[in-house]
Amino acid sequence: EPCSWLMSSTAPLKSARTLCYEARDSFYQCVRDQGVDFIPDNPIPDKCKKLRGAFEKSCLPSWVQHFDVQQEAQARRARLLHTTINKQAATAAGSLSGKAQS
């Protein structure tokens, strides 16, 4: 059963927010440990499904949606940074070896 504060109209208590954040962090860490970039609506690794359930149970649905979008954007930025660094490293290596830069 969801936390009682999910059903009230009052702001979440600090302890409930803490539980939500801990469940969120555990779920996304599990996904990263499986070598997967989280994308909403993509399959969740089997090892992380229970943690996803705990995350959804511990947080307001709007928070889960917000954190999912945030996590996807963070993964997208990391991939872009990785690609950019690799391109720059390849260009630098090419110039050091005397090869034409692209």
Side-chain angles (χ1 to χ4, degrees), residues 58-78:
S58 300
C59 302
L60 291 165
S62 61
W63 290 22
V64 172
Q65 182 180 11
H66 169 76
F67 292 139
D68 282 352
V69 169
Q70 199 174 43
Q71 188 70 24
E72 181 184 16
Q74 184 178 14
R76 194 177 322 111
R77 283 190 302 273

Side-chain angles (χ1 to χ4, degrees), residues 8-90:
S8 72
S9 60
T10 60
L13 300 174
K14 183 177 180 180
S15 60
R17 286 194 313 266
T18 300
L19 287 173
C20 172
Y21 297 153
E22 288 172 354
R24 171 200 64 189
D25 295 345
S26 295
F27 168 67
Y28 291 128
Q29 184 61 53
C30 179
V31 172
R32 283 190 298 274
D33 289 348
Q34 302 309 306
V36 176
D37 285 338
F38 179 81
I39 298 173
D41 300 323
N42 274 9
I44 294 170
D46 288 338
K47 290 185 177 183
C48 306
K49 287 183 178 178
K50 285 185 181 178
L51 291 171
R52 178 65 184 199
F55 173 40
E56 291 178 353
K57 183 178 176 183
S58 300
C59 302
L60 291 165
S62 61
W63 290 22
V64 172
Q65 182 180 11
H66 169 76
F67 292 139
D68 282 352
V69 169
Q70 199 174 43
Q71 188 70 24
E72 181 184 16
Q74 184 178 14
R76 194 177 322 111
R77 283 190 302 273
R79 284 191 306 272
L80 178 62
L81 183 60
H82 179 78
T83 301
T84 301
I85 289 171
N86 283 343
K87 284 181 183 179
Q88 289 177 349

